[in-house]
Amino acid sequence: MFSITSSSDVYTTYTLRDSDAGSSVNVVPERGGMVTTASFGNRDVFYLDAERFTHPELSVRGGIPFLFPICGNLPDNQYEWKGRTYELKQHGFGRTLPWQVANREISDNGAALTVALTDTPETFAVYPFQFEVRLTYVLQGNTLTIDQEYRNKSAEKMPFSYGFHPYFAAPNKTNLEFDLPSTSYFDRANQASGAWPERQWNFDLEEIDAAFEALPPADAVSTVVRDRHLQLGLTMTMATTCSRLVFWTLKGKPFYCLEPWSAPRNAINTGTDLTTLEPGDTHCDRLVLAWKTLDS
């Protein structure tokens, strides 16, 4: 049985539930339109720094922050467009601005909540385009689907990149196994590159910030993670507009991030894998996160 309820504390939280599967997902539109927490099979699957979350001046560390209109950072936080210099902070403003609830729906296909972000004078000052972005979160069983719709409302072409920054809970990272769609990576934090043949990381490093390239040409790019501590398996699937997959974690922190990006950092300057929409056009994508209990 599916349901959508709301509650208010520091922010209004919308909870999607599938009582038959024992799963739930919390979405906070005011805090970047993001998923904050989720539970599947009585397991909390996302990390969330709850104290940091209560401070709107700080970026959220946890849940699934949404990246738009850039992924990663820019040199000096700047980019050039038509002879003018603009400033955008790391990962853009999609993860920091309040979103609006656009639709709630219960159907045989699950519980669905749509949140929307449109341009404002604040966004136009740093990103001179009129746009609308819609994220629809759909919970069914042990699967969370995030449908995305990007619309260019400007009278000119609109360049952008987008992605997600999920913080997966990992109480014991040494019990993680990874099947990644590529072995070609560059680790910015440790200035290391090459092939990654193992299924494990060196979690004694202070930080790992590895971007995987050369993702396979397929209808979708899938990543599989098995957490032997939680006895939980994760399959993450995104469409072919995912050109990069970034793995990030910090020593001693009970999380790891697998971030599907449509383009690499600084793409708005270099044009590499940048998405460009004609006036009035819409671009759609889908991210699917599916969990299952592992056999002992």
Side-chain angles (χ1 to χ4, degrees):
M1 185 177 194
F2 303 115
S3 65
I4 301 175
T5 58
S6 63
S7 60
S8 294
D9 188 4
V10 178
Y11 305 103
T12 299
T13 299
Y14 291 82
T15 302
L16 287 63
R17 287 190 177 90
D18 183 340
S19 59
D20 293 338
S23 58
S24 65
V25 172
N26 289 324
V27 180
V28 180
E30 296 168 80
R31 208 65 164 93
M34 63 176 285
V35 168
T36 54
T37 58
S39 178
F40 294 92
N42 297 318
R43 298 173 178 87
D44 294 327
V45 296
F46 294 119
Y47 167 87
L48 179 66
D49 186 329
E51 173 62 25
R52 188 181 180 95
F53 179 73
T54 63
H55 296 281
E57 72 278 7
L58 300 177
S59 60
V60 177
R61 182 163 286 182
I64 315 180
F66 172 66
L67 316 181
F68 175 87
I70 61 171
C71 300
N73 61 332
L74 306 174
D76 299 321
N77 292 329
Q78 295 181 343
Y79 71 98
E80 301 288 331
W81 183 256
K82 292 191 172 180
R84 181 176 170 182
T85 299
Y86 295 88
E87 291 194 4
L88 270 178
K89 294 183 179 179
Q90 179 165 298
H91 296 319
F93 48 71
R95 63 177 180 155
T96 60
L97 294 180
W99 294 53
Q100 302 299 316
V101 174
N103 190 46
R104 285 180 276 183
E105 183 179 357
I106 302 295
S107 70
D108 292 340
N109 296 320
L113 178 74
T114 300
V115 295
L117 179 69
T118 58
D119 59 279
T120 65
E122 178 185 0
T123 66
F124 201 82
V126 296
Y127 182 67
F129 303 95
Q130 295 173 304
F131 65 87
E132 181 180 43
V133 179
R134 290 189 171 221
L135 302 178
T136 298
Y137 299 102
V138 183
L139 174 65
Q140 184 180 44
N142 287 344
T143 299
L144 172 63
T145 300
I146 308 176
D147 285 323
Q148 308 139 56
E149 182 180 291
Y150 307 87
R151 182 185 172 200
N152 181 9
K153 298 167 60 179
S154 302
E156 62 175 320
K157 293 180 180 180
M158 184 179 81
F160 64 99
S161 56
Y162 59 93
F164 294 89
H165 197 311
Y167 286 75
F168 297 106
N172 188 337
K173 287 185 282 192
T174 61
N175 285 326
L176 298 174
E177 300 172 357
F178 297 89
D179 290 336
L180 302 179
S182 173
T183 62
S184 176
Y185 79 98
F186 174 70
D187 182 352
R188 286 202 321 145
N190 300 287
Q191 293 297 296
S193 63
W196 187 77
E198 307 91 354
R199 292 187 177 182
Q200 187 54 271
W201 297 95
N202 179 8
F203 292 117
D204 288 330
L205 296 171
E206 292 297 324
E207 179 182 6
I208 302 171
D209 186 3
F212 285 83
E213 302 178 345
L215 301 184
D219 292 336
V221 175
S222 293
T223 298
V224 177
V225 184
R226 290 173 291 276
D227 188 326
R228 297 298 179 183
H229 178 81
L230 295 177
Q231 284 299 300
L232 204 61
L234 164 70
T235 299
M236 182 174 71
T237 305
M238 193 163 181
T240 52
T241 41
C242 171
S243 73
R244 300 294 188 279
L245 181 67
V246 177
F247 180 88
W248 182 70
T249 192
L250 297 173
K251 183 178 180 179
K253 294 294 185 179
F255 69 78
Y256 67 93
C257 298
L258 279 169
E259 310 167 37
W261 293 6
S262 69
R265 63 185 73 247
N266 201 33
I268 200 166
N269 279 315
T270 66
T272 303
D273 295 325
L274 196 64
T275 301
T276 302
L277 278 183
E278 296 287 342
D281 280 0
T282 298
H283 175 76
C284 297
D285 208 337
R286 171 174 287 180
L287 174 66
V288 180
L289 302 173
W291 286 266
K292 68 175 182 179
T293 302
L294 296 176
D295 296 330
S296 299

